[in-house]
Amino acid sequence: MRHVGRFAPSPTGDLHWGSLLVALGSWLEARAAGGRWLLRIEDVDTLRAVPGAAARQQAQLVALGLIADAPPWVQSARGEAYAQALQRLAQAGHAYPCACTRGDLADHGGVHPSRCVRPVRGDAHAWRLRVPAGITAFDDALQGRFEQNLRQAVGDFVLRRTDGPWAYQLAVVVDDAAAGVTDVVRGADLLDSTPRQILLQRLLGLPTPRYLHLPVLVDATGQKLSKSAGATALPADSARALRVALRLLGQTAAAAAPARDRAALLAHAVKHYDRAGLPRARTLAAPQTDAVEAARTLAAFPDTRNAP
Ligand code: GLU
């Protein structure tokens, strides 16, 4: 089956070193396999989405030479598809309405006890997935075997929140299947979301893609870089940013190639892509961007946050 990969940033701020690692990793996997590479704007969580961030991220990707093969999928426009999936799950008895509050669940360690403690009245309720007993496992191409007892670890999880937004877990499964994604490359912070997504794929009769979870970049204090916290900006010199990211991805020969420009560097990296070089770690130390370069980046991508 032809490789279809994707990069799916949440529009909560500018792309940083961690997002570049994932964008470049998924792009290289797709291009080295002669496959397609898609972009998805994960804006289901409308409260966290920063106006203008999606456009800035797309401009950053273009500047880096990481160009998707189709216009981006936008989750905020996909409500109908998520509603159909929820309806199928509910009709098959896999999803149920739930009006329990966070406070109600605190007595159960935050995990839903599978039997609601509060009755459902009217429309003010969430939808949860009824999680069966048993272990859900998968083999990650980089991190190896990963197993989770979903019932114990997360319990019956939310598919749609009381106030309306769709849960990331449902949206990602519906969208990956609709776009024909065969290979998910993303950060290792999402390893423990994968069993929930595999369970949903099974219950919805959807194929399970292959997974490859890259290490998450952490700062000097061990914290994951975060777009919303204004994490280390990428340098404006895209060829330099790509070389640093290639080195982090263990593509040392490609990173050192005497390429004329960004396009030549990327072409070389695809030709010499070496999956065995990828670091088999859950976290990696983020590179430093010096203040002068960060300021240049901000000038190259003017703030559109207040744009209409
Ligand atoms: N939207 C998620 C993020 O920005 C990625 C989700 C995924 O790749 O499945 O971290």
Side-chain angles (χ1 to χ4, degrees):
M1 200 191 321
R2 190 173 173 204
H3 181 120
V4 180
R6 53 41 160 210
F7 174 53
S10 308
T12 52
D14 287 356
L15 302 181
H16 52 64
W17 285 112
S19 359
L20 172 56
L21 208 68
V22 171
L24 182 59
S26 60
W27 185 89
L28 279 173
E29 277 274 318
R31 293 292 181 249
R36 283 164 58 74
W37 188 69
L38 306 174
L39 177 64
R40 185 166 70 227
I41 311 298
E42 299 221 316
D43 58 352
V44 268
D45 192 345
T46 43
L47 290 178
R48 284 185 63 232
V50 173
R56 282 171 62 89
Q57 292 176 346
Q58 285 173 70
Q60 286 181 285
L61 289 171
V62 169
L64 287 158
L66 305 178
I67 314 288
D69 291 317
W73 289 68
V74 183
Q75 289 193 325
S76 54
R78 303 259 311 139
E80 190 52 39
Y82 309 146
Q84 280 173 16
L86 176 61
Q87 196 182 11
R88 279 174 53 202
L89 291 168
Q91 277 169 355
H94 298 310
Y96 62 91
C98 167
C100 297
T101 64
R102 244 175 245 243
D104 294 333
L105 303 188
D107 300 341
H108 299 269
V111 174
H112 193 276
S114 297
R115 247 170 198 280
C116 286
V117 291
R118 191 179 287 269
V120 172
R121 293 205 185 88
D123 287 337
H125 60 75
W127 284 91
R128 283 183 188 273
L129 189 79
R130 200 182 301 286
V131 172
I135 303 286
T136 308
F138 71 101
D139 291 303
D140 188 83
L142 198 56
Q143 309 288 345
R145 185 130 185 109
F146 189 85
E147 300 187 343
Q148 207 174 37
N149 181 328
L150 279 173
R151 195 92 154 239
Q152 276 171 16
V154 290
D156 289 359
F157 58 88
V158 170
L159 300 172
R160 184 174 202 176
R161 294 204 319 236
T162 307
D163 51 348
W166 296 98
Y168 156 71
Q169 307 293 353
L170 180 69
V172 81
V173 163
V174 171
D175 286 344
D176 280 339
V181 169
T182 60
D183 289 78
V184 171
V185 176
R186 59 186 177 191
D189 53 325
L190 291 167
L191 260 177
D192 70 356
S193 281
T194 308
R196 270 171 279 182
Q197 294 170 18
I198 291 174
L199 173 61
L200 279 169
Q201 287 152 5
R202 290 180 185 155
L203 296 176
L204 285 164
L206 301 172
T208 290
R210 289 179 287 259
Y211 289 98
L212 189 158
H213 287 84
L214 290 168
V216 166
L217 291 190
V218 293
D219 64 18
T221 68
Q223 292 296 307
K224 178 193 170 206
L225 302 190
S226 129
K227 293 194 276 290
S228 36
T232 21
L234 295 173
D237 177 348
S238 55
R240 200 175 91 83
L242 289 167
R243 275 189 205 279
V244 173
L246 284 169
R247 217 170 300 128
L248 287 169
L249 287 170
Q251 308 301 302
T252 32
R260 282 185 316 283
D261 54 18
R262 182 196 70 194
L265 182 64
L266 284 173
H268 186 88
V270 170
K271 194 158 167 226
H272 299 281
Y273 178 61
D274 173 22
R275 187 192 257 187
L278 296 177
R280 289 175 189 274
R282 296 268 176 100
T283 58
L284 273 185
Q288 301 296 317
T289 310
D290 65 45
V292 177
E293 287 222 275
R296 260 195 265 147
T297 314
L298 293 178
F301 301 100
D303 199 337
T304 49
R305 237 161 279 186
N306 297 321

